[in-house]
Amino acid sequence: MAARWGLRASLSVVALALSAGSAFAQDSAASFPSKPIRMVVGFAAGGGNDIFARLIQNELQKRTGWTVVVENRAGAGGRLAAEYVAREPADGYTVLVGASGAMAIGPLIYKTEYDTLKSFTPVTMIGDFPLFLAVAADNPAKSAKDLVDWTRTNKDKANYATSSPAFTLPSELFKMKSGATGTAIPYKSSGESILAVISGNAAMTIVDPPPMVPQVKGGKLKALAVLAKERFPDLPEVPTMTEAGFPDVNVSLWSGFFVPAGTPQPIVDKLHKELQAVITQGNVNEKLRGMAVRTTGAGSAEFSKIIAEEQKMWSDVIKAGNLKFDN
């Protein structure tokens, strides 16, 4: 009898503790935020992720009255900021603006102090944006298949410009799925990669739209395919990779919001609700689309699934290509 009573008493204490914890989390969410929220960006001011953050910060403050501060912690392709936020208290007051290069790819190829889906809770995706396969305007290839054939007969000239693993891996995926050949030539930025192709120092590049579109419209660069499920509005004549004959080469880059793992779910839900309301509102959505960003509406569960699927895909590419990257 005494043992059974003791067990019931212990269970009651556990139930009360769980109930108290749940009530505390609810109370914390109800009063959240009671101090400024920091949006930590892993890149310098003026870059794409910084622009996203400041646009959303401004509108989030207008909508909610919250105090939100953007903090730039640039370095290592966004990984330094991720490592910093992973160490911060899990209370919702430090939010990482994380890009796919650091969050989906970084832990696979570098020694990072974080494992994305264990160290963070994804809150919501800001959106994704397509990549393009491009060559110089005078390249004889008129399609992605033409380029594949060209690389096979010009192996000594077949190389590609890349400015980070986020562009190297899609390039290697294209090679694997198409049979193209090509050696990676590293550059410091997408802009430098494009100039290398235009000048003839590199044969091709897979690159993001902002620095590429003006060169295509100016007649210096030729876009052969977009690595997305649908055509790009600014270049509607450019086919998708599926239309070009390579349905398995479908890759986008993305940015999104993360908080440290263990952040109470009610706070995660509150952040998601307000951030999504801002991201999808007309003026913000229009500005993001003007930067080639497609807002997806992916919440925490869907965002986590996307990251897990991408990490599996990129792990396979890294192993198949025996790829090595310098820190």
Side-chain angles (χ1 to χ4, degrees):
M1 286 289 291
R4 285 198 296 272
W5 184 88
L7 176 61
R8 286 198 297 271
S10 297
L11 291 173
S12 297
V13 169
V14 171
L16 283 170
L18 290 173
S19 176
S22 176
F24 177 77
Q26 294 292 342
D27 289 345
S28 297
S31 61
F32 177 88
S34 57
K35 61 181 182 181
I37 296 171
R38 292 183 299 149
M39 277 188 187
V40 179
V41 181
F43 301 90
N49 285 274
D50 179 72
I51 293 171
F52 301 158
R54 292 180 190 279
L55 170 63
I56 293 168
Q57 167 215 24
N58 185 51
E59 296 299 327
L60 183 62
Q61 291 187 135
K62 288 181 184 177
R63 172 182 165 80
T64 62
W66 299 352
T67 300
V68 183
V69 179
V70 173
E71 182 177 315
N72 298 90
R73 287 181 172 264
R79 299 191 303 280
L80 293 183
E83 290 176 345
Y84 170 77
V85 173
R87 296 191 297 265
E88 288 296 284
D91 55 11
Y93 287 98
T94 309
V95 179
L96 174 68
V97 181
S100 48
M103 307 308 286
I105 296 173
L108 303 179
I109 60 178
Y110 299 117
K111 292 181 179 179
T112 60
E113 296 178 10
Y114 62 92
D115 178 319
T116 299
L117 293 178
K118 292 180 180 178
S119 304
F120 298 95
T121 297
V123 178
T124 188
M125 187 183 283
I126 296 170
D128 60 20
F129 48 94
L131 299 176
F132 281 83
L133 173 64
V135 296
D138 60 359
N139 188 294
K142 296 181 180 180
S143 68
K145 283 188 174 180
D146 285 348
L147 179 62
V148 172
D149 293 339
W150 182 87
T151 66
R152 290 172 177 170
T153 56
N154 293 272
K155 292 184 179 181
D156 58 326
K157 300 177 183 177
N159 54 37
Y160 66 87
T162 177
S163 58
S164 79
F167 299 105
T168 304
L169 291 182
S171 300
E172 292 294 325
L173 177 65
F174 173 64
K175 286 169 54 182
M176 287 171 53
K177 299 299 183 181
S178 69
T181 64
T183 303
I185 308 295
Y187 290 90
K188 294 181 179 179
S189 68
S190 295
E192 287 190 10
S193 293
I194 288 169
L195 292 176
V197 171
I198 292 172
S199 66
N201 291 322
M204 56 187 169
T205 188
I206 286 179
V207 71
D208 48 326
M212 184 208 69
V213 171
Q215 300 291 356
V216 172
K217 292 186 174 181
K220 294 183 178 180
L221 206 65
K222 183 164 48 179
L224 299 181
V226 57
L227 286 68
K229 294 178 181 178
E230 56 189 40
R231 294 195 179 199
F232 184 59
D234 279 11
L235 298 172
E237 72 283 0
V238 179
T240 66
M241 273 290 187
T242 298
E243 293 170 330
F246 306 109
D248 295 327
V249 187
N250 182 4
V251 180
S252 295
L253 299 184
W254 47 257
S255 292
F257 292 105
F258 298 80
V259 290
T263 300
Q265 192 60 44
I267 290 178
V268 174
D269 292 342
K270 191 169 187 177
L271 284 168
H272 172 259
K273 176 185 175 183
E274 298 300 343
L275 287 167
Q276 266 300 302
V278 169
I279 292 166
T280 56
Q281 74 183 41
N283 64 321
V284 174
N285 196 328
E286 183 178 346
K287 289 177 181 177
L288 289 171
R289 290 191 73 85
M291 293 183 279
V293 176
R294 180 180 68 98
T295 53
T296 62
S300 185
E302 185 181 355
F303 196 3
S304 296
K305 182 180 178 183
I306 290 169
I307 294 169
E309 289 174 348
E310 286 195 6
Q311 290 196 317
K312 172 63 169 63
M313 176 181 69
W314 293 134
S315 291
D316 292 343
V317 172
I318 292 165
K319 290 176 184 176
N322 193 27
L323 303 177
K324 307 293 182 183
F325 296 87
D326 295 328
N327 277 310

